[in-house]
Amino acid sequence: MKRQKTLETNANNSNLFDLLSEEIVFTILDLIDTNPLDRKSFSLVCKSFYITESKHRKNLKPLRQELLPRVLNRYPHVNHLDLSLCPRINDNSLDVISNTCKDSLNSIDLSRSRFFSYNGLMSLALNCKNLASIDLSNATELRDAAAAAVAEAKNLERLWLGRCKLITDMGIGCIAVGCKKLRLISLKWCIGVGDLGVGLIAVKCKEIRSLDLSYLPITNKCLPSILKLQHLEDIVLEGCFGIDDDSLAALKHGCKSMKALDISSCQHISHVGLSSLISGAGSLQQLTLSYSCPVTLALANSLKRLSMLQSVKLDGCAVTSAGLTAIGNWCITLSELSLSKCLGVTDEGLSSLVTKHKDLKKLDITCCRKITDVSIAYITNSCTNLTSLRMESCTLVPSEAFVLIGQRCQFLEELDLTDNEIDDEGLKSISRCSKLSSLKLGICLNISDEGLSHVGMKCSKLTELDLYRSAGITDLGILAISRGCPGLEMINMSYCIDITDSSLLSLSKCSRLNTFESRGCPLITSLGLAAIAVGCKQLIKLDIKKCHNIGDAAMLPLAHFSQNLRQITLSYSSVTDVGLLALASISCLQSMTVLHLKGLTPSGLAAALLACGGLTKVKLHLSFKSLLPLPLFEHLEARGCVFEWRDKEFQAELDPKCYKLQWEDIAQ
């Protein structure tokens, strides 16, 4: 009996988690991995939790370069290192990484980083033997020596070099010889790379699955080698102006393994050359022809042999009714079709097409300004399994047609109705789409709180809501959304001029909110924004431009509670030196726009800029350029900050209806 009491006492005094295996605790951590604050709370419970969380974390996204040594020592088992928040990564930083993560590092993202060179990359490639993925996009100062260093990563499988404009065929040749295990390489905008470099990749890297050659000055010389790659599945030739029909005419056998082809903006390719290129591509599933050849009967007929085709994107192409009708007559059934900004889309052609492709899941008819309720009737009657419908600026579609969407397409998850004639009856009908997660209602001047309330009551899975310039929305509509959609992550209610602090107080209950845009809402004050700061601790992006009643009193709660904030727009608000300086305590803050702040002085701005150590982009009025010392800018730029100067005068706000008329004039 005495022994039993002793055992019970020990059980009560011990940590029950100590009885669980490490694998079980790791499974628990997997379930809370989406929110960094939850992980932090877990690690602060006790020493054993702290150690367990350190062992478990495989992905790391540091905020500041100077914290790297300490962070990497805490997390010794990191597989993926994302340095996109650290603009200043030099060779010393890469040395620290290569020495600390020798055995564990599998991938590294340097796409937003600068200041490293050949030496740092060489250290990384030689020491991290398991490195399989490197993203060097936007490293515009890297040359062939850096490419030669990358070539030492013998196990490399994925490499992104987008916009590395100084790398030439010689550097790419080194990579081709050294990295024979490559499966993916992106050379987008590497304008120094031509047929020779691409040809070497094709000859030496036989395992290539994905190849992005967008905007390269290549010609027909390298194409035969590319299309001989036995495992090639995805090739992007967007903007390759050196390729034309004559270049493709000889390629009669195509590429049998190809599943995705993008020849957007290849203006010298017609249905003749395209037919040659895909003649042997019987496995093709995705085809992107945006801003290229006209969609005619001849083009449609040349594509009908592709028996496995599922997705076709024709954005920006001139189309004919005969072409769309021919696509409708294909024996295959498409799951995705994009006709965004296509000139020539009419009720006749679109109706004929959707009648045959009844299994469409995604349809984009953005800016198809000639279609009417006839098209909507055919779409909703035939394509009842749609999950995504984008139809921004279909201005001839009357309000009655939107009722059909809710009645017949109830599996929708994404719906873009920006700049349309939808009214409250349409919203009431659309609220039947209970799976809706993204709803865009910008510049919809016929909707009010009544319609939005139906969405709030029935669309509980909504995470994204855009109400930009929908002037009929007030606090009542926002209250319904905040009550019915607790998982809301993004809301844009810019220029909804009747919104007050009541809306912000109700939205503060949406704890997952990370993007909040309320520019041009003159009635909201610091009190409302303070509530958002306290309740929405995952806030990443904040836009309060032209919110004249928001001042320093809101910046203090933001500085204290919104430690994840990365981007803020304060233009035309009442924030002064005090508020701006308070924001410096937010270590994540990267981007700041401060135009026309009457209470901002040169000395206050200078102090705030120096204190915000993580800034990568700042937009300022041109007048400050001469008021601040040049060494200040040099110091901040050396730290990785880029300045954008604006010389805009104060602009009076337009009435929503006037704005829409102006918008339509521009579109026409």
Side-chain angles (χ1 to χ4, degrees), residues 411-460:
F411 295 105
L412 280 171
E413 298 172 12
E414 177 188 20
L415 182 58
D416 186 350
L417 300 176
T418 304
D419 188 24
N420 274 292
E421 296 300 317
I422 185 172
D423 58 13
D424 289 337
E425 282 301 312
L427 278 184
K428 181 179 179 181
S429 178
I430 285 169
S431 68
R432 300 180 187 183
C433 305
S434 58
K435 296 184 178 182
L436 208 59
S437 62
S438 174
L439 179 60
K440 296 186 178 181
L441 299 168
I443 326 177
C444 292
L445 304 184
N446 299 326
I447 63 173
S448 69
D449 296 331
E450 181 183 349
L452 197 61
S453 295
H454 289 287
V455 174
M457 286 187 289
K458 297 182 180 179
C459 301
S460 59

Side-chain angles (χ1 to χ4, degrees), residues 42 47 108 123 150 223 227 306 315 350 385 407 531 591 667:
F42 181 92
K47 188 174 181 179
I108 186 168
S123 176
V150 171
L223 289 180
L227 296 178
L306 299 172
D315 303 345
L350 186 58
N385 292 319
Q407 289 177 346
S591 176

Side-chain angles (χ1 to χ4, degrees), residues 9 24 49 94 109 185 193 200 204 216 222 226 256 276 316 344 357 378 419 422 448 500 514 549 555 561:
T9 302
I24 294 176
F49 278 24
L94 294 183
D109 186 346
I185 184 168
V193 179
L200 286 170
K204 296 293 184 180
L216 263 60
C222 64
I226 293 173
K256 294 181 180 180
S276 300
H357 293 278
Y378 275 95
D419 188 24
I422 185 172
S448 69
T500 71
N514 59 57
N549 290 318
M555 299 301 105
F561 294 103

